[in-house]
Amino acid sequence: MLTGANFIGNTKSKLSENGFHAINAKTGENLKDIFYPAVHEEIEQAVEMASKSFFEFQQISQKDRANFLNAIADEIVNLGDDLLQRASIESALPITRFKSERERTVNQLRMFADLLKDGSWVNASIDTALPNREPIPKPDLRKIYTAVGPVVVFGASNFPLAYSTAGGDTASALAAGCPVIVKSHPAHPGTGEMVAGAILLAAQNTNMPEGVFSNLNDSGYAVGTALVTHPKIKAVGFTGSQSGGRALMDMAAKRPEPIPVYAEMGSINPILLLNDALKNRNKEIAKSYAVSLTAGVGQFCTNPGLMIGIQGEYLDKFIKSLVGNIQEVLPAKMLTSGIALAYSNGLEKVLAQKNVTLEGTSNNDGNDLPGRPLVASVRGESFITNPKLSEEIFGPFSLIVKCVDQSELDDVVEQLGGQLTASVIGEEKEVLDYEPIIRKLANKVGRLIFNGVPTGVEVCPSMNHGGMYPATSDAKFTAVGIDAIYRFVRPISYQNWPNHFLPDELKNENPLQISRRVNGKQTKAEI
Ligand code: NAP
């Protein structure tokens, strides 16, 4: 039973007089549930509670925090099919998709729980004192990562489970020891409330301090702005548009105390199509790219939005095969009416650009749903001189750039901005011919793929889901995988402290049996 309330710690609150309806993304109609945007008082309460709980939460052992994360995973599973159905209604994505997205969400939480149980992620480093060193004694120094403080998370519209209320940002911030306030995404407020309830139940069952998690509603920018500019908030996690991410970055930078905003803002994920591969595997490549391009109605930050090749017979054949596959894919509903409008405006704008040719779209004329797959092409020269062609069009769209030769291909790559991913489709031998171009590409991206598609972000320690601006706000960090935790911690050195005062991770006896760097050597040994 949904309440439409803001969850401020364990209190359900709806002080606002006006609410907004959740929307059935499949029909466009209002659902009966009304959600109440958080008012000033509720925002203050949530932040105050998060700030108070931080001190206690930060001190809680890694093992107990791991139990909390595992309990969240259990409670999400306990929500059963109701959660999947609600997410499907609010997003127009199929229930089968949410089965795997729930698994991903739960596995992410358990992955961070395992990280905490191991405990070594804190990068404990100990340099023992040399009191007799000349000319001056060396102090005892012990360094560790510690939580930064309350974190605000903006959920993503396109992953109502895995990148939203209990998604990667929330899981990594809680794992780090930071209380979290989620600004619920108005595209799936009911899904958000259900998951928020699961998190709070888990918090109570594992004796976490109240305020460690809150969930606030809004259908506009007021709540998000108040949270990001609140002096007691210490970091922000965001997944969404470049305009939204940039606005939050600017707000955070202008605060008297600037704070980091870890924004994942999507990209066009360039694909380099090399000739031998197109010659040998044309149909196979086209098929896999048609699937990648249209999966989830193209609403992935890793959607292959730009393909670059050298003009000629092989590229033409590839385009024909790709279009053949695309024509078979039915247009579909998109996540929100705003995203659908942005997609249709984006297509209109790109097709109106000089020298852009429509190569093909879905064949189904009887279906005028907005998520219509579409492929267009343009000459390399036109692409290079028109920055509008490098803008992301969020949906099942890809632009194919036809270059006259390798030198023009190099110029196209040169002027690309930062990207989450780039892919190279080629035979192993021909890759050497393109080595400088590929290395240039590597300097712009967070993940470089060989003979694969960019969609499908594996959650594992070696994954980097980041990239140079504007793909993300800070290329030093990943939003996926265990290293995502480092966004919400900072190092602290303890100098000359008595052993009993130090965090367990830094004590002489190494009670947690973690791996530490002691006087330059990695070890689990006692000191
Ligand atoms: P969005 O417009 O960037 O919004 C994401 C969240 O940030 C929402 O909660 C939104 O609040 C908030 N927000 C946006 N701009 C803000 C601002 N200036 N001040 C304060 N809060 C702000 O993303 P979206 O609604 O999910 O989708 C819109 C577009 O984002 C898509 O068309 C696509 O281009 C892009 N997108 C990218 C990704 C990705 O993976 N990087 C994922 C989804 C969407 P309200 O919604 O309450 O206004």
Side-chain angles (χ1 to χ4, degrees):
M1 178 70 183
L2 295 170
T3 66
N6 298 290
F7 288 11
I8 302 168
N10 299 330
T11 306
K12 294 182 177 58
S13 175
K14 30 186 172 184
L15 298 180
S16 174
E17 283 172 10
N18 300 310
F20 62 93
H21 278 276
I23 308 282
N24 182 331
K26 293 178 181 178
T27 63
E29 288 162 0
N30 282 349
L31 290 163
K32 68 175 175 19
D33 323 286
I34 298 179
F35 292 82
Y36 292 86
V39 299
H40 175 76
E41 200 181 325
E42 291 166 317
I43 297 168
E44 281 300 320
Q45 281 170 3
V47 176
E48 204 48 54
M49 226 182 234
S51 180
K52 276 207 181 114
S53 73
F54 172 54
F55 192 66
E56 195 184 332
F57 189 49
Q58 184 189 28
Q59 310 296 323
I60 284 173
S61 73
Q62 294 205 55
K63 202 169 133 252
D64 288 346
R65 283 213 303 276
N67 291 339
F68 174 34
L69 295 181
N70 279 328
I72 298 174
D74 293 342
E75 294 301 341
I76 288 174
V77 172
N78 287 344
L79 290 170
D81 288 354
D82 287 356
L83 176 67
L84 310 185
Q85 269 154 16
R86 181 73 193 196
S88 176
I89 288 168
E90 289 186 326
S91 66
L93 295 168
I95 288 201
T96 44
R97 144 79 187 260
F98 285 108
K99 280 193 177 146
S100 56
E101 199 181 321
R102 177 179 59 188
E103 199 179 325
R104 185 190 179 108
T105 311
V106 162
N107 288 346
Q108 259 172 193
L109 287 156
R110 299 205 194 285
M111 174 187 76
F112 283 111
D114 288 344
L115 185 74
L116 297 185
K117 279 185 189 159
D118 172 76
S120 303
W121 70 274
V122 294
N123 282 354
S125 175
I126 299 174
D127 290 285
T128 49
L130 295 173
N132 300 323
R133 189 180 70 173
E134 294 293 345
I136 43 169
K138 180 182 176 188
D140 182 283
L141 276 162
R142 303 184 181 214
K143 187 166 75 170
I144 191 178
Y145 278 121
T146 189
V148 289
V151 167
V152 170
V153 170
F154 289 78
S157 57
N158 59 342
F159 277 95
L161 299 179
Y163 286 88
S164 205
T165 318
D169 287 350
T170 298
S172 53
L174 290 176
C178 300
V180 169
I181 300 174
V182 167
K183 204 300 260 171
S184 181
H185 200 294
H188 53 258
T191 309
E193 182 180 319
M194 290 172 88
V195 175
I199 298 174
L200 288 167
L201 198 56
Q204 284 167 28
N205 290 342
T206 54
N207 301 317
M208 292 297 129
E210 191 178 357
V212 77
F213 180 81
S214 290
N215 185 56
L216 303 182
N217 298 312
D218 196 12
S219 60
Y221 296 164
V223 173
T225 303
L227 287 170
V228 172
T229 52
H230 198 292
K232 290 189 175 170
I233 295 300
K234 299 300 174 193
V236 178
F238 168 90
T239 309
S241 62
Q242 277 179 21
S243 57
R246 182 62 202 232
L248 300 183
M249 285 166 68
D250 291 345
M251 261 178 228
K254 280 192 197 131
R255 291 168 38 130
E257 178 200 350
I259 54 168
V261 173
Y262 298 105
E264 192 268 82
M265 299 175 279
S267 67
I268 52 175
N269 304 295
I271 319 295
L272 223 56
L273 299 163
L274 307 188
N275 261 340
D276 288 353
L278 292 186
K279 184 175 153 195
N280 300 336
R281 296 182 277 124
N282 181 316
K283 288 200 171 138
E284 180 198 321
I285 298 164
K287 198 169 176 192
S288 68
Y289 266 88
V291 172
S292 174
L293 183 59
T294 56
V297 201
Q299 299 163 121
F300 288 130
C301 48
T302 50
N303 196 56
L306 186 75
M307 304 187 191
I308 314 160
I310 293 180
Q311 68 184 29
E313 183 193 345
Y314 304 127
L315 186 59
D316 288 346
K317 275 192 180 156
F318 167 76
I319 295 174
K320 208 171 154 208
S321 303
L322 181 67
V323 167
N325 281 289
I326 295 290
Q327 284 170 339
E328 304 295 315
V329 183
L330 293 181
K333 281 269 178 193
M334 297 189 83
L335 289 162
T336 64
S337 55
I339 286 177
L341 184 65
Y343 182 59
S344 79
N345 287 346
L347 292 183
E348 203 177 304
K349 192 168 137 192
V350 76
L351 291 172
Q353 300 301 305
K354 206 173 152 199
N355 294 327
V356 171
T357 307
L358 171 65
E359 293 287 353
T361 183
S362 292
N363 259 343
N364 192 324
D365 290 336
N367 172 347
D368 63 354
L369 294 177
R372 176 178 291 275
L374 190 143
V375 174
S377 69
V378 68
R379 295 209 318 261
E381 183 193 11
S382 304
F383 181 83
I384 292 162
T385 51
N386 186 352
K388 289 196 180 98
L389 297 176
S390 300
E391 288 170 13
E392 182 187 20
I393 298 177
F394 193 67
F397 167 75
S398 196
L399 180 66
I400 302 179
V401 183
K402 299 176 174 177
C403 301
V404 286
D405 55 20
Q406 207 164 323
S407 160
E408 191 172 78
L409 197 145
D410 189 22
D411 292 343
V412 166
V413 168
E414 173 69 35
Q415 67 92 53
L416 288 175
Q419 307 288 338
L420 291 170
T421 74
S423 309
V424 176
I425 305 297
E427 301 302 355
E428 286 189 17
K429 269 190 191 160
E430 70 180 329
V431 161
L432 292 175
D433 301 336
Y434 290 84
E435 192 178 342
I437 299 179
I438 295 171
R439 301 233 179 264
K440 192 178 278 182
L441 206 47
N443 282 339
K444 295 174 186 256
V445 308
R447 179 163 55 107
L448 190 63
I449 300 151
F450 184 54
N451 281 335
V453 295
T455 44
V457 182
E458 188 68 38
V459 181
C460 68
S462 306
M463 173 53 68
N464 183 50
H465 189 62
M468 304 292 275
Y469 183 87
T472 77
S473 54
D474 192 339
K476 294 195 291 297
F477 295 95
T478 176
V480 173
I482 52 175
D483 288 347
I485 199 170
Y486 293 111
R487 297 173 300 169
F488 303 117
V489 291
R490 66 182 178 88
I492 177 170
S493 288
Y494 290 88
Q495 186 167 331
N496 287 340
W497 280 89
N499 192 51
H500 65 83
F501 189 83
L502 290 167
D504 281 353
E505 288 84 353
L506 296 176
K507 286 192 166 111
N508 287 338
E509 59 274 28
N510 194 12
L512 303 180
Q513 277 298 292
I514 62 171
S515 175
R516 313 186 290 188
R517 190 174 57 200
V518 179
N519 295 324
K521 285 207 177 105
Q522 206 63 32
T523 173
K524 288 189 174 181
E526 290 181 23
I527 293 168

